[in-house]
Structures are given as structure tokens and as C-alpha cells.
Amino acid sequence: MNIDLTVFLVRHGQSEWNLEGRLQGQTSNIPLTALGREQANHTAVQLANSGAQIVVSSDLLRAAETARIIAQNLSIPIRLESDLREQSLGIFEGRLAADAHRETNDTDWSNPKWRPAGGESLADVYVRLVRLFRKIQQEFPGGQIIVVTHGDTARTALALLRGENLADMTDAILKNGEFIKLPLRKID
């Protein structure tokens, strides 16, 4: 397979709800903390010589804010994409993560087929990402792009970009403001 494109996959900077230990899911209006903005600026410095042509980001505030900081520092355009949103956590959004996990202690949240009430599964997120990365491949046949997203969405994207089975995907999540460089191989 040919490597057509390089992706710098970025997790958004720390948000107010990350600091509080709340499950964010697709809650749209959660801003970055001061540390989160510092993390975004630090990521921008690290990506300054990446040759990236565009920042493609989730449209949720915490990711969009991170993306804007990076794009402004690199003087490149930004595009917001709803397909990069975090996994919808339905009834658990806004709840303290510790409380939600305690209430569902017999549930494997990493199971790609598990869907919280009113939310979506990681398999659903995977389908969104396949659609988005196919679109990106058509629009950017070569070069480098920065993709800003969320913890579980980034973990799912890593599985997709590495050609891993969802059931075997890693539990490791990028830290806030952290990024990884990956080739975007042809997605069938």
C-alpha cells in the first residue's frame, strides 16, 4: 500500500471537565483551562516544522480551541468536522467518571460494541472515522495534516490507522495536548 498522507493525531488540551474528572462525550461547550491552552501552544511549537497544510478538528469547543491555537501559530487553515467528535456517552455525559464507572462496574467500557443508553459505541465512532479519513484521502492525496480530536476518538483512530482490529485496540489514550505521527494508508 502506498502512504499518501501523514497525519499528526492530536488530543485536545486539558478542558475544565478533564480537570473535574467529568465525562464529556459530545457535550459541546466545555472550554480549555489555562493549562489546556498552554498544551495547545506547546503542541503548535512541536509541529512548527511539520509541513502540515491544514488542521482538521472536531467541532466541539475543547478541540476547536486547541485546533485554532495550533492553526494560528502555524499560519494554516482550519476545518471543523463533526465526525471527529468524541464518543457520545449518552446518560453519562457530565457525570463524574468515578461515579459512572462505579455504577457500571460490571460493564467493559472498552468493549467496541457496548453502547451507553442514549450514546454510541466505539464501533459507531470507527464508522465515522472511516468515512472522514476516506474523505481526507480524496481531498489531500499527499502531504501532512494535523487532526485534533478527543481521547477515545483518538484511540479508535489509532486502531484504524494502524490497521488493528477494534477488539484488540489499546486502552492507552493520548494525554491532553499529546500527539502521534502516523501514515494514512489507503482505507478501503
Side-chain angles (χ1 to χ4, degrees), residues 18-37:
N18 286 137
L19 186 60
E20 295 173 11
R22 292 193 181 280
L23 295 171
Q24 300 171 98
Q26 292 189 6
T27 305
S28 64
N29 60 345
I30 307 159
L32 295 178
T33 61
L35 174 59
R37 289 186 294 279

Side-chain angles (χ1 to χ4, degrees), residues 14 19 36 59 65 72 77 79 86 89 116 118 121 128 148 156 159 162 169 180:
Q14 182 191 64
L19 186 60
D59 59 349
E65 234 185 307
Q72 286 172 351
R79 185 170 81 204
E86 181 60 292
L89 296 175
S121 68
R128 284 196 272 123
V148 180
T156 306
R162 290 176 172 165
M169 81 176 160
I180 187 168

Side-chain angles (χ1 to χ4, degrees), residues 24-82:
Q24 300 171 98
Q26 292 189 6
T27 305
S28 64
N29 60 345
I30 307 159
L32 295 178
T33 61
L35 174 59
R37 289 186 294 279
E38 287 176 28
Q39 291 168 330
N41 276 304
H42 179 71
T43 299
V45 168
Q46 291 180 299
L47 294 172
N49 295 316
S50 66
Q53 302 152 286
I54 190 169
V55 179
V56 180
S57 174
S58 161
D59 59 349
L60 301 177
L61 180 60
R62 58 199 184 269
E65 234 185 307
T66 301
R68 283 188 187 97
I69 291 168
I70 294 169
Q72 286 172 351
N73 278 286
L74 276 58
S75 299
I76 58 176
I78 181 174
R79 185 170 81 204
L80 302 180
E81 290 281 351
S82 62

